[in-house]
Amino acid sequence: MALPHDGMSTDDVLAQLDAFKEHDVRWREGAAFTLAYSAGPEVEAVAQDAYRRFSSENALNTDAFPSLKRIQNDVVGIVGDWLEAGPDGAGFLTSGGTESLLLAVKGARERGRRERGITAPNVVLPTSAHAAFEKGCYYFGVESRRVAVRDDWRADVAAMEAAIDDQTVLVVGSAPQYPQGVIDPITDIAALAAARDINCHVDACMGGVTLTYLRRLGHDIPDWNFRVPGVTSISVDLHKYGYTAKGASVIMHRNKQLRAYQTFVTDNWLGGVYGSSGVLGTKSGGPWAAAWAVMHHLGDAGYLRLTASARRSCEQLATAVDEMPALALRAWPEATLVAFGAAEPAEGVAALDVYAVADALWRRGWYVDRQGPPASLHCTVNAVHEGRIDAFVSDLRSAVDEVQTAGTAGAQGAYGTVD
Ligand SMILES: *Cc1c(COP(=O)(O)O)cnc(C)c1O
């Protein structure tokens, strides 16, 4: 495909882009239970206006852009307050949860190498920990030691302990883990790290904002943040329950010494000293400005309100799924994630194919995650779903009926795609 010789008008290019979106999932209307989050059109407008002002500012070098230094300090400072990091806490903004987790792996590998001379590092993590850890291990030459979870889907700490050896540089827990939405026993996992003076990363990409505010709303949440001795770093995605534009996550370390292991500096080329805090080089100031703007626009009161709303919708959906005889809730949600599969079928009856249910939901306009093993559907419930759960549950019932009647099969699909 060649670029047309004559340029198009602004109106034409924008109309064309809007037309491309015709078949996209209608997430602003609450039709997506994954991938997109919305606190409504006004919050989105704040994010977009802020993003536009900083879209071509370059966060690679905050000396040239003191504005971005200020923005990063403020955003990381607020997240540090949420995480009870204390005055020594030190973090960076990253492009998303994946980059935050890559840096957690890289930082742990580097610390092991420099402090203990480790040459064949491994990470001990539950099978429920996010796929991005796998990517980090692959990128940075670290062995991934996956340990089966318990029957309640939480990390099996005794089995994790058995998998640790003298080359282990990192143990991982999630708050909550993505697949079934439950919180790992962070205190026990962090104790494994503290006893050996190795890193413990808590993946709160999904739950960092939600668990902070749920606790303030009076929910009983087990300890998961820097109050837990032994936790060395935590990731929190702002482009999820921070309700800001895509491209914003924070990785927070307990102190600057630990943070130093994630950064990279070289002068081994002809271009002088080159340092970078994360994976990217040039990076847009847009996501940073949008995060600052949305956080300050919502304020504490906004996050309390949005968290309460998301939790209400989540409980409504979990209750409805629990009452459907054809479906089995994987776990009662501890944050705002609902995962379910097919119930044990009666004797002589074929099991319900939940991926076919996902197909039938998509024909009705709803997009949910498909995951496994075991074959499950997964709903990330957020503030956009307020007032939408009844309609979804009604379509879920009809989708289940349709699949049961027709006996159709579906395909697993993918959480992320490569083509
Ligand atoms: C979303 C998520 C990630 C990955 O974050 P991206 O922003 O998609 O790169 C990692 N861990 C958990 C628990 C997540 O929910």
Side-chain angles (χ1 to χ4, degrees):
M1 182 179 191
L3 185 65
H5 179 267
D6 292 319
M8 291 161 69
S9 71
T10 306
D11 285 350
D12 286 351
V13 290
L14 295 180
Q16 183 71 74
L17 285 173
D18 284 341
F20 289 162
K21 285 181 153 181
E22 188 188 341
H23 300 295
D24 287 1
V25 60
R26 298 185 178 281
W27 59 274
R28 291 182 183 83
E29 296 158 30
F33 282 93
T34 175
L35 301 170
Y37 302 73
S38 173
E42 196 206 318
V43 175
E44 192 188 354
V46 172
Q48 287 181 349
D49 286 347
Y51 198 111
R52 214 186 334 265
R53 282 171 169 73
F54 283 83
S55 63
S56 293
E57 268 64 11
N58 194 341
L60 173 59
N61 184 327
T62 54
D63 286 344
F65 297 101
S67 58
L68 290 172
K69 180 176 283 192
R70 167 76 199 265
I71 286 169
Q72 175 163 247
N73 282 343
D74 286 0
V75 170
V76 169
I78 291 162
V79 172
D81 182 54
W82 287 345
L83 300 178
E84 302 184 77
D88 291 340
F92 284 121
L93 269 160
T94 69
S95 59
T98 298
E99 189 181 359
S100 292
L101 297 187
L102 292 182
L103 294 169
V105 173
K106 189 264 184 192
R109 185 199 68 179
E110 210 61 17
R111 183 181 174 208
R113 181 145 70 192
R114 285 198 235 161
E115 293 184 5
R116 295 194 290 143
I118 287 177
T119 51
N122 68 72
V123 176
V124 171
L125 71 177
T127 45
S128 55
H130 196 272
F133 284 108
E134 221 53 36
K135 192 178 189 176
C137 287
Y138 178 75
Y139 278 13
F140 300 127
V142 176
E143 181 197 346
S144 161
R145 291 198 179 163
R146 292 276 181 173
V147 176
V149 293
R150 305 186 316 214
D151 287 347
D152 65 0
W153 308 107
R154 291 174 183 83
D156 183 335
V157 181
M160 285 178 71
E161 178 159 31
I164 295 175
D165 63 16
D166 60 358
Q167 299 289 299
T168 301
V169 294
L170 173 67
V171 292
V172 169
S174 306
Q177 45 94 305
Y178 187 88
Q180 289 82 27
V182 295
I183 302 171
D184 284 328
I186 301 299
T187 304
D188 298 340
I189 294 171
L192 297 178
R196 294 161 180 81
D197 205 16
I198 60 175
N199 283 17
C200 170
H201 183 80
V202 176
D203 181 2
C205 284
M206 193 55 95
V209 181
T210 301
L211 297 181
T212 297
Y213 284 94
L214 278 180
R215 183 176 262 189
R216 289 193 33 204
L217 287 162
H219 290 250
D220 193 17
I221 306 289
D223 284 342
W224 62 276
N225 66 17
F226 284 110
R227 265 159 73 162
V228 178
V231 170
T232 55
S233 58
I234 304 179
S235 48
V236 179
D237 289 354
L238 299 174
H239 61 203
K240 289 176 180 159
Y241 289 93
Y243 295 103
T244 182
K246 291 288 183 289
S249 170
V250 167
I251 176 158
M252 197 78 201
H253 300 268
R254 190 176 279 281
N255 56 50
K256 271 206 159 127
Q257 291 73 29
L258 288 167
R259 190 182 72 169
Y261 291 122
Q262 81 159 65
T263 58
F264 177 79
V265 182
T266 185
D267 61 0
N268 188 21
W269 71 317
L270 303 183
V273 178
Y274 176 97
S276 63
S277 60
V279 174
L280 307 180
T282 287
K283 51 193 167 190
S284 171
W288 294 22
W292 192 97
V294 168
M295 290 162 83
H296 286 82
H297 181 66
L298 287 171
D300 231 21
Y303 284 114
L304 282 166
R305 173 175 55 79
L306 294 167
T307 303
S309 162
R311 179 66 195 181
R312 264 195 313 274
S313 298
C314 171
E315 287 179 9
Q316 193 188 344
L317 176 57
T319 302
V321 168
D322 206 26
E323 286 168 357
M324 291 176 66
L327 301 178
L329 204 56
R330 294 279 176 238
W332 184 253
E334 284 193 279
T336 44
L337 307 179
V338 180
F340 54 94
E344 272 307 313
E347 182 122 352
V349 179
L352 178 74
D353 184 326
V354 288
Y355 302 144
V357 173
D359 290 339
L361 283 169
W362 183 224
R363 285 195 292 278
R364 290 161 173 78
W366 304 97
Y367 200 90
V368 302
D369 265 347
R370 303 153 189 241
Q371 55 180 33
S376 307
L377 302 184
H378 183 276
C379 294
T380 301
V381 183
N382 67 86
V384 78
H385 297 116
E386 173 140 0
R388 298 288 289 144
I389 299 296
D390 282 340
F392 176 70
V393 167
S394 150
D395 277 349
L396 177 60
R397 274 200 198 96
S398 87
V400 167
D401 286 348
E402 180 190 315
V403 171
Q404 274 178 327
T405 309
T408 41
Q412 179 167 4
Y415 168 21
T417 56
V418 289
D419 56 9

